[in-house]
Amino acid sequence: MECTETDCEAEAAVELHMPWGETRPVCAAHARVLSREDGVVAQPLSSADETLPDGATD
């Protein structure tokens, strides 16, 4: 699954749950920036085991 951010072709690694919008899969780089907003919950995708640090998807 690809990142849902515009012009990004990276593999999605995290699902962002945003209280003001839809839940969407994004790559690790976009998740790092977007998850800093209040109320956003970042949930690692189990399919991203090789992309994320050890233990991140446990």
Side-chain angles (χ1 to χ4, degrees):
M1 169 180 0
E2 279 191 8
C3 179
T4 57
E5 291 299 298
T6 305
D7 296 328
C8 184
E9 295 179 8
E11 189 70 21
V14 176
E15 188 173 66
L16 293 182
H17 302 274
M18 304 176 132
W20 58 86
E22 295 182 15
T23 298
R24 59 188 194 214
V26 296
C27 66
H30 280 112
R32 191 172 327 136
V33 174
L34 297 170
S35 65
R36 292 181 180 173
E37 295 189 45
D38 286 339
V40 175
V41 176
Q43 180 179 8
L45 297 172
S46 59
S47 61
D49 281 337
E50 294 180 19
T51 306
L52 299 174
D54 289 339
T57 59
D58 291 345

